[in-house]
Amino acid sequence: MKYFPLLWATLWRKKTRTIFTLLSIVIAFLLFGMLQGVNAAFQQGVTNANVNRLIVTSRISLTEPLPIAQKPLIEAVPGVAGVAYASWFGAYYQEQKNFVFATPVDIDDYLKVVPELKIAPEQIEALKRTRTGLIVGLDLMQKYGWKVGDRIPLHSTIWVKKDDGNSDWAFDIVGTYNFTTDPSQNNGALFNYSYFDEARTFGAGTIGWWIVSVRDPNQSAQIAAAIDKLFENSPDETKSQSEKEFAQSFLKQFGDINFIVQAILGAVFFTLLFLTGNTMMQAVRERIPELAVLKTLGFSDAKVTVLVLAESLLLCLIAAALGLLVASLLFPMLKDYIGAVKLPTSVLVRGAGIAVLLALATGGLPAWRAKRLVIVDALAGR
Amino acid sequence: MGNIVSLRKVAKRYTRGKEVVEVLHSLDLDIAEGDFVALMGPSGSGKTTLLNLIGGLDRPTEGEVIVAGEHIDRLSGAALARWRARHVGFVFQFYNLMPMLSAQGNVELPLLLTRLSAAQRRANALTALTIVGLADRARHKPSELSGGQQQRVAIARALVADPTLLVCDEPTGDLDRRTADEILGLLQVLNREHGKTVIMVTHDPKAAEYARRQLHMDKGALVDGQVS
């Protein structure tokens, strides 16, 4: 700590240069925070996937419907604990940008296989009683200021109603749900499959995908194979995956986000390495007589080396802290798009680690030069 | 008093490309504790090289350098750095202050290598600045001080850790006559009243008159010596 005033004064020796270098590192870490945050938010769905569940879709495509008649056959597969189903409704509220992940389900089946979804019992009963009932995730309720008892329209981009040829579906909010293990899923809504199935113009008797809970997660692969075997060579062949695999393959539809993020950040930090390294080299080159004086006063080679490295570390850590702070302030604004509300701690920790590595990489060469500096040559300007 | 500096058959050679240049030739020198020695001679005579050897900034190619009872030519790099911090205060021609630190910050630098608390460091630095008559300029940056004041700060920095000897390389070379006299007077006070051994390289015969003894060098050897 006693060297801090010396380090601080040295860091600000050339204010303009330090500010510009600091800003370039701040922007790099802001980018790092935002991109890694988005990446982590996407991966969170994979991480939070339940090991006890399988997702069964059509072998052809996720958008291809499956007949509801498959349900008793899947239930009969040894090791299967419960079977629920859902469909893609493709809804938005008022404007297209207000996407709502609303899903038609049989609430009893659904709660059996997704027990982490918490709904008050009286609200479950209300949903069953109300054909147009809707149970809304806590965050979605808050976002639009909805209340239980409100009647709201959701526009489906796929499904048209038989009775009026309209794609605007009216719902009565009868309750809220809380997804306890993954709050990012509190942005959705659930409604009665019976209402959906009876009212739509096409696709009656079909569902989008099966959600299958298994008794023993170690048997997941065998159960998935057994389910797919059931429908082999039928018009509705299935593809069964663990929830994790499903989440991963779903993500891959957008491209390999992880790779894209790492590639962008790799390029940014590679450039930064040269920029900051060059600045540090220049700073040390200008201070050779001062470093020689420190050595003259009795600062050992090791101490001077550590001082130069510490200066680099101070610069990188301050900039990284500022960049990550701005990223964590901006990150909640992406809530509507990626569901996550807080920059994951793991991103902050990784950011700090990268700042240390950056400091060592950019300060290493100048520190080595400072270490090898010969006092009499440096004082003589040689 | 005993000798604080003893050099025995000291030679210093540099290699410049393919050429070997012998700067000091088998030099013997004794300087008594409490002495004030002026090293004089033409440029290239080896004065600064000799000063650097005594101050532990450089090592001899041959011979022994014993300063403050230590064979400093035998010390490792780290041990020599510790030894310098403990025994030698340096004053340079161009002051060599840290431009971003205040006068007080500059004077405190050698104390960072000690176990003193921050408050003790501040107090000692202020005492050193008081000795050189600059207590009221403690918060000023070097750029806000005149050349003479900067050299006073450099002297305060040199003596703040209470070294055994002060090594001064052309301390008045960049100053006008009046300021130079003030600085030399200060070095004289430090020698006479505070008992510091002072070894000073100078071109200036008037500056050398402040010393108790003048040593003349030419072509890497001591020519003669006199007591002023």
Side-chain angles (χ1 to χ4, degrees):
Chain A
M1 267 317 274
K2 66 180 172 182
Y3 294 104
F4 185 78
L6 174 64
L7 280 175
W8 188 252
T10 308
L11 188 64
W12 295 101
R13 192 173 174 275
K14 298 261 180 185
K15 284 193 182 66
T16 312
R17 185 173 62 198
T18 302
I19 286 170
F20 279 117
T21 310
L22 198 76
L23 279 178
S24 61
I25 307 175
V26 166
I27 289 166
F29 275 92
L30 169 63
L31 197 64
F32 168 86
M34 296 302 279
L35 286 178
Q36 286 289 11
V38 170
N39 190 23
F42 276 117
Q43 302 303 328
Q44 200 176 26
V46 177
T47 312
N48 290 340
N50 192 303
V51 291
N52 291 317
R53 282 195 291 265
L54 298 174
I55 302 293
V56 182
T57 62
S58 164
R59 179 164 288 278
I60 300 165
S61 148
L62 176 62
T63 56
E64 196 66 23
L66 292 168
I68 200 162
Q70 287 179 338
K71 186 171 182 255
L73 299 172
I74 297 172
E75 283 171 334
V77 171
V80 168
V83 179
Y85 48 87
S87 286
W88 184 256
F89 188 59
Y92 65 78
Y93 175 63
Q94 293 180 335
E95 288 178 72
Q96 218 157 356
K97 67 180 176 69
N98 299 331
F99 170 75
V100 174
F101 187 67
T103 318
V105 296
D106 178 296
I107 196 66
D108 286 334
D109 287 346
Y110 196 77
L111 289 173
K112 195 174 168 192
V113 297
V114 190
E116 57 269 42
L117 193 81
K118 301 297 177 198
I119 308 173
E122 64 277 13
Q123 293 180 340
I124 297 171
E125 290 309 311
L127 180 67
K128 289 182 192 169
R129 277 197 312 272
T130 315
R131 187 168 172 267
T132 55
L134 186 74
I135 300 277
V136 182
L138 285 174
D139 290 350
L140 191 62
M141 284 288 269
Q142 199 178 11
K143 181 178 175 185
Y144 293 118
W146 293 340
K147 298 183 297 296
V148 172
D150 283 355
R151 188 172 178 81
I152 57 143
L154 288 180
H155 182 92
S156 173
T157 53
I158 305 167
W159 307 104
V160 179
K161 286 186 294 175
K162 264 193 292 202
D163 55 357
D164 56 6
N166 198 321
S167 294
D168 291 323
W169 296 62
F171 291 99
D172 296 292
I173 299 175
V174 295
T176 59
Y177 76 74
N178 183 17
F179 209 102
T180 51
T181 54
D182 184 3
S184 70
Q185 296 202 32
N186 283 335
N187 266 320
L190 301 170
F191 61 98
N192 288 312
Y193 175 81
S194 54
Y195 169 45
F196 168 68
D197 200 43
E198 288 158 21
R200 60 182 166 170
T201 50
F202 64 94
T206 63
I207 55 96
W209 60 91
W210 299 105
I211 308 160
V212 178
S213 61
V214 297
R215 289 196 181 91
D216 178 4
N218 295 324
Q219 298 295 312
S220 291
Q222 291 91 320
I223 296 168
I227 294 169
D228 292 344
K229 181 92 179 157
L230 270 179
F231 308 110
E232 208 173 44
N233 297 321
S234 77
D236 301 298
E237 286 192 315
T238 56
K239 181 182 176 186
S240 304
Q241 298 168 284
S242 68
E243 201 171 69
K244 192 168 198 158
E245 288 167 338
F246 176 78
Q248 276 166 338
S249 60
F250 190 76
L251 268 185
K252 285 207 168 138
Q253 291 180 73
F254 303 105
D256 193 337
I257 292 167
N258 193 39
F259 173 77
I260 294 166
V261 166
Q262 302 309 334
I264 294 172
L265 290 175
V268 168
F269 281 102
F270 191 69
T271 313
L272 196 64
L273 200 66
F274 286 102
L275 179 80
T276 317
N278 184 47
T279 308
M280 281 302 295
M281 274 303 278
Q282 203 180 337
V284 166
R285 212 166 28 238
E286 286 169 3
R287 291 208 322 263
I288 289 224
E290 290 167 28
L291 293 171
V293 169
L294 286 181
K295 285 193 176 188
T296 302
L297 297 179
F299 284 69
S300 62
D301 290 349
K303 204 154 261 176
V304 170
T305 308
V306 170
L307 279 175
V308 173
L309 277 177
E311 186 186 330
S312 174
L313 193 65
L314 188 63
L315 176 74
C316 291
L317 283 179
I318 290 172
L322 286 173
L324 292 172
L325 176 72
V326 176
S328 54
L329 292 175
L330 293 179
F331 197 71
M333 292 179 189
L334 298 179
K335 184 184 170 190
D336 291 347
Y337 305 99
I338 57 172
V341 291
K342 199 173 154 226
L343 198 63
T345 311
S346 61
V347 173
L348 300 176
V349 172
R350 258 189 89 190
I354 288 174
V356 172
L357 288 179
L358 183 71
L360 294 178
T362 55
L365 197 59
W368 179 76
R369 190 172 175 184
K371 178 182 185 295
R372 287 177 54 87
L373 187 143
V374 178
I375 299 174
V376 288
D377 288 343
L379 289 177
R382 288 195 285 267
Chain B
M1 277 190 201
N3 289 332
I4 194 162
V5 176
S6 293
L7 275 71
R8 294 288 172 265
K9 303 213 175 304
V10 167
K12 180 67 186 177
R13 287 186 284 273
Y14 292 109
T15 307
R16 295 270 178 262
K18 288 181 182 172
E19 196 185 356
V20 177
V21 182
E22 186 156 311
V23 185
L24 296 178
H25 318 286
S26 195
L27 190 142
D28 291 310
L29 172 67
D30 289 310
I31 295 172
E33 193 174 353
D35 207 350
F36 184 166
V37 176
L39 272 175
M40 299 188 71
S43 294
S45 59
K47 310 183 292 292
T48 298
T49 302
L50 178 59
L51 198 70
N52 288 341
L53 291 177
I54 293 169
L57 298 180
D58 206 354
R59 292 169 189 278
T61 313
E62 284 170 19
E64 289 183 337
V65 180
I66 304 155
V67 184
E70 190 86 55
H71 275 82
I72 61 171
D73 51 296
R74 297 176 191 169
L75 295 177
S76 67
L80 192 58
R82 281 195 298 275
W83 177 86
R84 280 197 302 273
R86 172 71 193 88
H87 292 287
V88 192
F90 292 89
V91 181
F92 304 96
Q93 179 179 355
F94 297 109
Y95 333 126
N96 285 348
L97 299 174
M98 301 284 168
M100 65 287 181
L101 295 178
S102 64
Q104 168 122 9
N106 270 286
V107 177
E108 275 189 50
L109 275 177
L111 300 179
L112 291 176
L113 299 168
T114 66
R115 291 177 186 276
L116 294 177
S117 68
Q120 285 172 311
R121 288 199 302 271
R122 268 196 301 276
N124 288 10
L126 203 59
T127 304
L129 282 169
T130 305
I131 290 172
V132 300
L134 276 183
D136 57 332
R137 301 293 172 100
R139 292 183 180 279
H140 288 231
K141 294 269 176 68
S143 59
E144 296 160 348
L145 299 172
S146 68
Q149 287 171 328
Q150 288 186 56
Q151 195 60 297
R152 282 171 184 271
V153 174
I155 292 170
R157 181 180 67 186
L159 61 89
V160 71
D162 194 22
T164 316
L165 75 157
L166 288 177
V167 167
C168 313
D169 192 0
E170 300 275 9
T172 57
D174 199 43
L175 301 173
D176 60 58
R177 181 76 264 155
R178 194 175 62 81
T179 314
D181 285 338
E182 284 174 16
I183 294 295
L184 290 161
L186 179 61
L187 290 176
Q188 209 167 42
V189 168
L190 291 172
N191 172 248
R192 290 187 179 162
E193 293 177 18
H194 296 265
K196 298 293 171 200
T197 306
V198 181
I199 305 169
M200 174 178 74
V201 161
T202 183
H203 273 105
D204 179 5
K206 282 198 176 299
E209 284 171 11
Y210 283 83
R212 290 178 199 265
R213 189 152 69 114
Q214 295 177 15
L215 297 174
H216 292 266
M217 290 191 73
D218 192 25
K219 294 176 184 165
L222 285 167
V223 180
D224 56 6
Q226 72 175 70
V227 178
S228 64

